[in-house]
Amino acid sequence: MSLEKVKAVFFDLSGVLYIGTQAMDGAVKTIDRLRAEGYILRFVTNTSSHSYQMVKNQLNTLGFDFKTEELFTAPQAAKLYIQRRNLRPFCIIHDNLKPEFADIDQSNPNCVLLADAQNNLNYQNLNQAFIMIEQGFPLIGMGKNKYYKDAESFKLDVGSFIHALEWASGTQATIVGKPDAQFFQTVVDTTGLKNDECLMIGDDVLGDVQGAINAGLQGCLVKTGKFKADDLNRLPKQAYVIDIINQLPDLLAQFKATR
Amino acid sequence: MSLEKVKAVFFDLSGVLYIGTQAMDGAVKTIDRLRAEGYILRFVTNTSSHSYQMVKNQLNTLGFDFKTEELFTAPQAAKLYIQRRNLRPFCIIHDNLKPEFADIDQSNPNCVLLADAQNNLNYQNLNQAFIMIEQGFPLIGMGKNKYYKDAESFKLDVGSFIHALEWASGTQATIVGKPDAQFFQTVVDTTGLKNDECLMIGDDVLGDVQGAINAGLQGCLVKTGKFKADDLNRLPKQAYVIDIINQLPDLLAQFKATR
């Protein structure tokens, strides 16, 4: 695979375009330049501690040029997944997300839905989830990220709690969001392009880069956000690497020039 | 290995001798009979939601004949481990255990100590643990049990949370308690016997049976407590199995008779 084919770029958000309330150096201009050069752009996040509207507000506040239909979130995908199957989830989700799931029937639950619920990831809720899984109800996770980095510190992400429940129960969760290939495919399908014409760029080796490559996309790791030197040892050999998002337009331009 | 060699029996407690505040059928008589037949007895528990004194009170209340020096607990072993190394733990432990660790310096912590802390296994504490592990501080766990069963329901145990932190950080915890071979050895050493003259009996395939066998002891699974049919598929082939603890004296007697 080569970047010269790329006609669409999928951006992970936190740790890539911004961290906390601070845009990455040159990130806004990167979006503007790629858009001007004709790239199709998508914004693809597993963030489940913020609602769809909060993510949009964040991008707007920081001055990013994007359209609502270009933004894909794991909670949005999870909601669709649940609605299509008429599931009634026991929701362990962040208070920020509760309004977005308020119109989902959560009575007499028949599945467990786990998100980056932070303080709602308490022992009582996790134990209730475990008991339901032991009774045979499926576990659905919004992404499987191990951790992320916000303005304050590293933070445990939902993936670590999913992994604990999988290990305890000997079952496997259904992951909705990155790195689920179906989630990537949904985004690719909105572009009208082939999978390998789409490049996913993110700071998570497994969720963003390995996940995209497994789904037939191209992948690029950016060394900001949660990046740790050790990540390079786990990176698939087909992956590209840049130091910061503002290096992406030149990297793509180089490949086009050598075409 | 054969049961005819056995001169000491190590009992797991919860799920084996009792569940909740209820002794297993015939459990008190089993202890009395084995003691009368000359077996050395040890009581070996990973329970870390109760203090040493609470466990003793529980055994006394239910009428079990035991001596204090026959009781070995994971918290006791963890405290010794920490004291010998002059560690200052960030303790995520049950409120019941806090008096037992009150004389341990917990200022400016340089390791993480994780127990079956139940409601203290909250997001804030686990995240603080994760940040410390990321900074290079070791993680010490009191046992690595996935779950247990009390009078109410299955309950997630500390092992599941240890597993989550190990997976998120890419590091490995030090386990003090079962199935750590050193812990089993400490108990064997108090008997003056060889390892294969000691039989560990418990309801946890990994913590009790596999752990004991790995440490050179003999192992027997009892189909009470947390037992699930699927456990038999994970059982080491050298292991013995009984339905309930009151079958143990006859099983041992059979092997002696055929000697």
Side-chain angles (χ1 to χ4, degrees):
Chain A
M1 288 196 288
S2 162
L3 290 184
E4 68 181 50
K5 283 186 180 180
V6 168
K7 293 176 183 157
V9 182
F10 297 179
F11 295 90
D12 179 39
L13 299 183
S14 174
V16 178
L17 294 186
Y18 55 77
I19 192 154
T21 57
Q22 188 75 40
M24 290 287 172
D25 197 30
V28 171
K29 280 187 183 163
T30 296
I31 299 298
D32 291 343
R33 180 173 157 192
L34 291 176
R35 203 181 282 286
E37 290 176 358
Y39 286 96
I40 294 173
L41 305 183
R42 296 291 182 262
F43 303 87
V44 185
T45 179
N46 272 358
T47 296
S48 57
S49 57
H50 294 79
S51 68
Y52 196 81
Q53 190 58 48
M54 290 167 85
V55 175
K56 277 175 63 179
N57 291 348
Q58 169 85 326
L59 286 168
N60 277 323
T61 302
L62 296 174
F64 287 100
D65 171 29
F66 77 102
K67 301 181 195 71
T68 298
E69 60 269 25
E70 293 171 343
L71 175 61
F72 294 81
T73 72
Q76 186 195 41
K79 188 171 175 180
L80 208 60
Y81 181 94
I82 281 165
Q83 285 172 324
R84 284 185 179 157
R85 288 162 183 78
N86 282 314
L87 291 168
R88 299 179 309 274
F90 169 58
C91 288
I92 306 182
I93 60 178
H94 198 284
D95 288 349
N96 285 336
L97 222 58
K98 288 185 177 171
E100 208 164 315
F101 281 76
D103 58 340
I104 299 278
D105 182 7
Q106 296 168 42
S107 65
N108 190 20
N110 59 7
C111 71
V112 176
L113 179 63
L114 216 65
D116 175 20
Q118 297 187 357
N119 289 339
N120 292 331
L121 286 162
N122 57 44
Y123 184 78
Q124 198 186 351
N125 280 341
L126 289 168
N127 206 51
Q128 181 59 34
F130 176 64
I131 290 168
M132 285 185 63
I133 296 163
E134 283 291 310
Q135 289 168 348
F137 295 113
L139 170 63
I140 301 162
M142 293 192 202
K144 208 183 172 183
N145 301 68
K146 294 179 172 185
Y147 54 86
Y148 58 99
K149 193 177 185 180
D150 69 7
E152 299 153 35
S153 68
F154 281 107
K155 291 247 164 81
L156 279 176
D157 206 343
V158 61
S160 299
F161 296 90
I162 293 170
H163 194 68
L165 289 169
E166 288 180 326
W167 186 73
S169 63
T171 61
Q172 200 155 11
T174 297
I175 302 302
V176 184
K178 298 176 287 184
D180 173 45
Q182 185 53 52
F183 182 62
F184 283 113
Q185 195 59 52
T186 303
V187 186
V188 170
D189 289 346
T190 68
T191 65
L193 299 173
K194 294 177 189 160
N195 289 29
D196 66 354
E197 294 173 326
C198 300
L199 171 69
M200 175 77 219
I201 180 153
D203 65 339
D204 191 296
V205 172
L206 295 177
D208 295 319
V209 184
Q210 183 74 63
I213 289 171
N214 288 351
L217 288 74
Q218 301 199 51
C220 181
L221 183 73
V222 60
K223 293 161 85 172
T224 52
K226 75 179 77 169
F227 173 77
K228 295 189 288 186
D230 181 48
D231 289 343
L232 298 175
N233 302 324
R234 300 183 295 129
L235 200 64
K237 64 180 188 310
Q238 311 98 305
Y240 297 88
V241 182
I242 56 176
D243 291 330
I244 180 167
I245 195 67
N246 67 24
Q247 294 181 345
L248 184 63
D250 283 349
L251 179 70
L252 288 169
Q254 273 172 34
F255 276 82
K256 303 290 172 184
T258 60
R259 179 153 47 180
Chain B
M1 288 197 287
S2 163
L3 291 184
E4 69 180 49
K5 285 186 178 180
V6 167
K7 294 176 183 158
V9 181
F10 297 179
F11 295 89
D12 180 39
L13 299 184
S14 174
V16 178
L17 294 187
Y18 54 78
I19 193 154
T21 56
Q22 189 74 41
M24 291 287 172
D25 197 29
V28 171
K29 281 189 183 163
T30 296
I31 299 298
D32 292 343
R33 176 171 159 194
L34 291 176
R35 203 182 282 286
E37 290 177 359
Y39 286 96
I40 294 174
L41 306 183
R42 296 290 181 262
F43 303 86
V44 184
T45 179
N46 272 356
T47 296
S48 57
S49 57
H50 294 79
S51 68
Y52 197 81
Q53 189 58 49
M54 290 167 85
V55 175
K56 277 176 61 179
N57 291 348
Q58 168 85 327
L59 286 168
N60 276 324
T61 303
L62 295 175
F64 287 100
D65 170 29
F66 76 103
K67 300 183 194 71
T68 297
E69 61 269 25
E70 292 172 342
L71 174 61
F72 294 82
T73 72
Q76 185 195 41
K79 188 171 176 180
L80 207 60
Y81 181 93
I82 281 165
Q83 285 172 324
R84 284 185 178 156
R85 288 161 184 77
N86 282 314
L87 290 168
R88 300 181 307 276
F90 169 58
C91 288
I92 306 182
I93 61 178
H94 199 285
D95 288 349
N96 285 336
L97 222 57
K98 288 186 176 171
E100 206 164 317
F101 281 77
D103 58 340
I104 298 280
D105 182 7
Q106 296 169 42
S107 66
N108 190 21
N110 59 6
C111 70
V112 175
L113 179 64
L114 217 66
D116 176 20
Q118 297 189 357
N119 289 339
N120 292 330
L121 286 163
N122 58 44
Y123 184 78
Q124 198 185 352
N125 280 341
L126 289 168
N127 206 50
Q128 181 59 36
F130 176 64
I131 290 168
M132 285 185 63
I133 296 163
E134 282 291 309
Q135 289 167 349
F137 295 113
L139 171 62
I140 301 160
M142 293 191 203
K144 207 183 171 183
N145 301 67
K146 294 178 173 185
Y147 54 86
Y148 58 100
K149 193 174 185 180
D150 69 8
E152 301 154 33
S153 67
F154 281 107
K155 291 245 163 83
L156 280 176
D157 206 344
V158 61
S160 298
F161 296 90
I162 293 170
H163 194 68
L165 289 169
E166 288 181 325
W167 186 73
S169 63
T171 61
Q172 202 155 10
T174 297
I175 303 301
V176 184
K178 298 176 286 186
D180 174 46
Q182 185 53 55
F183 182 62
F184 282 113
Q185 196 59 53
T186 302
V187 186
V188 170
D189 290 346
T190 68
T191 65
L193 299 172
K194 294 178 189 160
N195 289 30
D196 66 354
E197 293 173 327
C198 300
L199 171 70
M200 175 76 219
I201 179 152
D203 64 340
D204 191 298
V205 172
L206 295 175
D208 294 320
V209 184
Q210 182 74 64
I213 289 172
N214 288 351
L217 288 73
Q218 301 199 52
C220 181
L221 183 73
V222 60
K223 293 161 87 171
T224 52
K226 75 178 78 169
F227 173 77
K228 294 190 289 186
D230 182 48
D231 290 344
L232 297 175
N233 302 323
R234 301 184 294 127
L235 199 66
K237 63 180 189 314
Q238 312 98 306
Y240 297 88
V241 183
I242 55 175
D243 291 330
I244 181 167
I245 195 67
N246 65 25
Q247 296 181 346
L248 186 61
D250 283 348
L251 179 70
L252 288 169
Q254 273 172 33
F255 275 83
K256 304 288 172 185
T258 61
R259 181 154 44 179

